[in-house]
Amino acid sequence: QRHDLGSGEAGAASFTTFVTAVTAAFGDPTRREIFLRLRDQPGMTVTELADAFSLHPNAARHHLDRLVAGGYVTAELAPRTGEVGRPAKRYRTVSDDLGLEEVARRDNLVVRLLQRALEVIGPDQAEAMAFEVGEGYGRELAASMAPVEGQRSVRTAMETVASAMTAHGFAAHAEADAASVSVVSATCPFGNAAVHQPVLCAVERGMVSGLMAGLVGTEHATPVSFSSKARGDEACRTAV
């Protein structure tokens, strides 16, 4: 099926983001099989999926986290009849009948409305609001992912963050050096609106902060550094 993602530079960026998001979610054959199994048998738990595919539960959780981060799978707590203890998360695929072209038209209108709203309220309040919204959304997204035994490493968490950011139009990847771990975004879902309103970059910064707080703890609630092409930097990078 052909997806109309536009033409020119904007169309190429949209196509890159789309391909990166799909590859991050379904590039692993086991992950594809888990998705297909959930589509046919919604409501399975981590334990049931691990048994079905002869995986360690942590490996099954990792695949589910990637699918949840991409928006392809959702999780819900479902009490187990006749059993005590914490209810298990049950997973199911997400049904979305909107085509990519319709989503793009809707998002364009929302971005225009947001851009005008930011002009009205002023840069300081707008940036604070953008960060607050992004951080809250990041925490909600992290809460929907599967818990792991113990605390996640920062690097592992940032790889999950990159997948989540990619699914939201940032075409992101994780980079690490001796000093820090970063999420680098190749594209921006706000397009030219971020060039005119760099405060929108605070949404990205907030999302990374919220995701990290939810995945590894509150000590990583605030990224150490942030750079943005819209502000004249070489790359859009959030580091912890």
Side-chain angles (χ1 to χ4, degrees), residues 132-217:
E132 179 183 350
V133 169
E135 185 179 37
Y137 187 78
R139 286 177 179 272
E140 290 176 7
L141 189 58
S144 71
M145 298 179 190
V148 296
E149 297 295 333
Q151 196 175 57
R152 293 174 193 250
S153 70
V154 172
R155 180 175 186 132
T156 299
M158 287 292 267
E159 290 174 353
T160 301
V161 168
S163 293
M165 299 299 287
T166 292
H168 287 78
F170 291 94
H173 66 276
E175 293 182 357
D177 57 32
S180 66
V181 184
S182 304
V183 167
V184 181
S185 300
T187 63
C188 176
F190 297 113
N192 289 332
V195 176
H196 299 293
Q197 291 288 344
V199 295
L200 286 170
C201 300
V203 173
E204 178 181 358
R205 181 162 50 92
M207 281 184 67
V208 175
S209 178
L211 279 160
M212 287 298 290
L215 293 173
V216 301

Side-chain angles (χ1 to χ4, degrees), residues 52-65:
F53 293 96
S54 300
L55 298 171
H56 189 280
N58 284 347
R61 289 189 185 100
H62 169 74
H63 290 303
L64 289 165
D65 277 355

Side-chain angles (χ1 to χ4, degrees), residues 41-111:
Q41 300 178 34
M44 295 183 72
T45 65
V46 169
T47 301
E48 290 169 345
L49 287 164
D51 290 343
F53 293 96
S54 300
L55 298 171
H56 189 280
N58 284 347
R61 289 189 185 100
H62 169 74
H63 290 303
L64 289 165
D65 277 355
R66 289 296 182 92
L67 291 170
V68 170
Y72 302 102
V73 165
T74 186
E76 59 184 18
L77 290 175
R80 293 169 289 188
T81 304
E83 297 184 24
V84 296
R86 183 178 179 179
K89 280 189 176 181
R90 296 191 174 275
Y91 296 83
R92 61 186 69 248
T93 57
V94 175
S95 177
D96 189 352
D97 295 329
L98 285 176
L100 289 175
E101 187 177 359
E102 292 166 312
V103 170
R105 285 198 295 265
R106 179 199 64 193
D107 287 350
N108 285 339
L109 182 60
V110 171
V111 168

